[in-house]
Amino acid sequence: MTLAGISAASAQSAPSPVPQFTAPKVDIFKELRVISGVTVSGNGELTFVGSDAKIHRTDSKGSEKWAFPVGDIGRAYPVVTPQGVTIAASYDDTVYALDPGGKLLWKQKLDGDIFATPALRIDGSVIVATAGGTIHALSAAGKPLWTYKVGAPVFSSPAIGPDGTIYFGAQNNRMHALTPGGQLKWTYAAGSLVFSSPAVGPDGSVYFGSSDRRIHAVAPDGKPRWTLLTGLFVNASPIITSGGLVVVGSYDGSVYAVNTSGETEWTYRAGAGIAGSAVELSDGSVLVPDLSGTVHAIGKAGQALWQIKTGKKIDTGLSVSDQGSLYFVTDGGGLNIVQKQRPLAVGPWTTFHGAPNPVGRVPTPVELQAQTQARREAASAVLAALKPSTAATTAPAHPAQPAQPSQPAPTTQPTQPAQPAPVPALTPAQYAAAAGQKARVADGQLFLPLTEVAGALRLDVGNVTVRTATVRVQGQALPITVRTFDRAAFVPLAALSDLPGASARLTRTPAAGVTLSLGGQTALFPVNLTRLLSLQSGPEFASGTVR
């Protein structure tokens, strides 16, 4: 397989397979302003972080039980311990521990924004990764145990193998393995950034995606096992099905199912980019969301079973309760609930971070047995038979309360603030000037607003998520890191200058700033570097970058 002839446009516009059955309806839809992933406890209760900068606990139908205010929004899934303690993180650099009633037990300030979901160890301690480039181990009481300096931001959620090894990807293009005590065991070099959170098999093998457009499999000793080339970058986190298939979606609009030997078992064309993780249900079907707002149900042979079309972007993974309720969040924070479905398949990693309550470690045999017991009733329930699909199944699905004004039709979905669309009223020079005025510094990096940069350099930008965007340069779709400030997407100057064919230089005349050339366009960004940042050649990150 080669990349010749593959373009982002063709990948995104490819039609989805015709579904065989009529999709189930969304039973409950609530505008809860959900911004993180949704964590499901064993009793069916939900925990998430909202765009109101609060940690929320609801019942299984989205009715609130309590809320706790934090210092900022957050995208990481909360983790609920067996004792009912909620561990949650936000962009205020802080980890919070709340008791079962939502009262603060402890909080710990770290060294940067926390995008990654913490991993919970068997002894109750947690592993937390930061955009400041550090892995922290905190005790069950929130006390620091050890730190490991990566030297590059970490957006990949740490995962824990059966022997306690800690795995995570970073923005230095590497997958890392640490001992339980925080010592480096090995690093594995991918070809580009690693946003994808690793899935860990029972034997300790690690599977993840990269912006190098590949799915990687690495042995427990850090040796490469295989890679699979896709059409675009792979930021989603893989799952491992109960039958041993590694399943993950790509921004090329396809879902790949690969056996542990690296052979493709099937490929499913979703037709739109995929950023969220899949789930495997107890009947062996796989569900996956895409960025156009469609939830796809895929059969064991890769065939289309049904599709729920919402028309609103879905960029987080699906969650499934042990009682068989399916949860997903559409753009704007709407919580969608589909009831009376199958629960998750029993296996080591059949959903994001390994469990509905994403603890991020390979389950023990006792825990697998508990999974089987907890899901037995829903797995064996007699469900209504799926009806053969008709032409009507291609219409958007509607929730149980279609009259809600906050549920617009797909053709009128609001434009995303972070989705750059050059306005003809501004010239490229005016865009560049605006970018220079809005420039800011965080974690030792200079950031420019993505919308204004796109206008200044006449770039086509798409698939903007909280972490990445796609930039089209001379016909080639390339991934680029983004970061959100005040609900707008910003891009590191160093990430722009690292794009193929790009060059950046300091400029003193006719104005002080940075001149950036990319894709045949050149723009001067009038940034006061003396005030904002001491610009110097070298790595993107302030210090200690691992090469």
Side-chain angles (χ1 to χ4, degrees):
M1 177 179 178
T2 69
L3 291 178
I6 295 178
S7 69
S10 62
Q12 299 301 318
S13 61
S16 300
V18 177
Q20 298 179 2
F21 302 100
T22 301
K25 299 296 184 183
V26 174
D27 296 296
I28 299 172
F29 175 85
K30 290 189 175 182
E31 288 285 6
L32 298 183
R33 298 196 291 174
V34 185
I35 195 169
S36 73
V38 176
T39 292
V40 188
S41 297
N43 62 1
E45 291 182 343
L46 312 179
T47 311
F48 56 85
V49 181
S51 59
D52 57 356
K54 293 181 180 180
I55 303 166
H56 293 266
R57 170 71 54 80
T58 76
D59 66 15
S60 62
K61 296 182 179 180
S63 295
E64 186 161 289
K65 298 175 73 70
W66 53 257
F68 181 86
V70 294
D72 203 344
I73 62 172
R75 293 274 286 181
Y77 287 68
V79 177
V80 181
T81 74
Q83 295 75 35
V85 174
T86 298
I87 308 294
S90 78
Y91 295 170
D92 64 356
D93 307 355
T94 302
V95 181
Y96 297 84
L98 310 178
D99 72 12
K103 304 299 183 183
L104 183 67
L105 293 173
W106 55 262
K107 62 181 180 178
Q108 183 65 247
K109 184 87 168 180
L110 303 181
D111 66 328
D113 292 351
I114 305 169
F115 290 81
T117 298
L120 178 67
R121 297 201 282 190
I122 292 178
D123 64 359
S125 62
V126 291
I127 305 299
V128 186
T130 72
T134 305
I135 305 297
H136 299 260
L138 303 177
S139 73
K143 302 300 182 183
L145 299 175
W146 51 259
T147 60
Y148 174 81
K149 293 292 185 180
V150 183
V154 181
F155 302 122
S156 167
S157 300
I160 300 170
D163 62 351
T165 298
I166 301 160
Y167 303 98
F168 61 92
Q171 300 298 283
N172 57 10
N173 304 350
R174 294 177 180 272
M175 177 60 59
H176 303 70
L178 304 182
T179 68
Q183 301 299 312
L184 182 66
K185 293 178 68 173
W186 51 257
T187 64
Y188 166 91
S192 189
L193 307 175
V194 182
F195 289 97
S196 176
S197 302
V200 185
D203 65 347
S205 294
V206 182
Y207 306 94
F208 66 97
S210 169
S211 295
D212 64 4
R213 310 181 180 195
R214 286 173 168 82
I215 303 165
H216 295 262
V218 184
D221 61 0
K223 302 292 178 59
R225 294 187 57 192
W226 51 261
T227 64
L228 180 74
L229 189 63
T230 71
L232 279 174
F233 45 104
V234 183
N235 285 357
S237 302
I239 65 169
I240 305 170
T241 71
S242 54
L245 294 182
V246 179
V247 177
V248 65
S250 166
Y251 268 66
D252 68 5
S254 289
V255 182
Y256 297 86
V258 191
N259 64 32
T260 53
S261 298
E263 300 165 329
T264 302
E265 295 287 337
W266 50 259
T267 302
Y268 174 92
R269 293 292 297 166
I274 297 167
S277 295
V279 295
E280 185 199 12
L281 302 187
S282 61
D283 63 356
S285 61
V286 169
L287 309 186
V288 65
D290 70 30
L291 290 170
S292 75
T294 299
V295 176
H296 303 262
I298 308 169
K300 293 180 180 180
Q303 75 275 26
L305 297 180
W306 51 258
Q307 297 167 2
I308 296 175
K309 296 188 177 184
T310 70
K312 291 185 174 183
K313 181 173 69 174
I314 306 173
D315 63 2
T316 54
L318 308 176
S319 300
V320 185
S321 73
D322 289 343
Q323 296 76 28
S325 289
L326 169 66
Y327 301 92
F328 60 93
V329 178
T330 45
D331 193 51
L335 177 66
N336 298 259
I337 307 175
V338 184
Q339 298 175 317
K340 297 182 179 179
Q341 300 300 298
R342 298 295 185 193
L344 288 173
V346 174
W349 217 274
T350 56
T351 187
F352 171 76
H353 235 209
N357 172 26
V359 294
R361 57 179 168 79
V362 176
T364 65
V366 172
E367 289 171 327
L368 285 174
Q369 185 177 8
Q371 286 183 14
T372 302
Q373 184 64 33
R375 300 169 191 173
R376 178 170 293 156
E377 183 176 351
S380 59
V382 177
L383 305 181
L386 291 174
K387 298 178 181 179
S389 176
T390 66
T393 60
T394 60
H398 296 284
Q401 301 89 351
Q404 293 194 38
S406 56
Q407 182 80 342
T411 54
T412 59
Q413 66 172 349
T415 301
Q416 301 307 307
Q419 188 81 8
V423 179
L426 295 182
T427 66
Q430 289 170 327
Y431 272 118
Q437 292 173 355
K438 295 180 180 180
R440 61 197 302 167
V441 169
D443 298 327
Q445 301 178 75
L446 177 65
F447 289 84
L448 297 172
L450 183 56
T451 296
E452 286 77 3
V453 168
L457 295 172
R458 302 180 186 273
L459 296 175
D460 291 328
V461 181
N463 286 338
V464 180
T465 73
V466 72
R467 298 176 182 177
T468 60
T470 307
V471 181
R472 181 168 290 281
V473 180
Q474 296 179 335
Q476 185 179 18
L478 302 170
I480 192 167
T481 302
V482 299
R483 186 161 170 184
T484 302
F485 298 103
D486 299 326
R487 303 185 185 278
F490 281 67
V491 58
L493 174 63
L496 287 168
S497 62
D498 281 344
L499 290 172
S503 64
R505 66 182 187 277
L506 294 176
T507 303
R508 297 185 181 277
T509 58
V514 176
T515 296
L516 182 66
S517 297
L518 178 64
Q521 302 292 328
T522 299
L524 169 60
F525 298 95
V527 179
N528 188 336
L529 297 174
T530 302
R531 177 175 62 85
L532 288 176
L533 181 72
S534 177
L535 187 67
Q536 52 188 314
S537 61
E540 176 176 346
F541 310 104
S543 64
T545 300
V546 177
R547 290 287 186 181

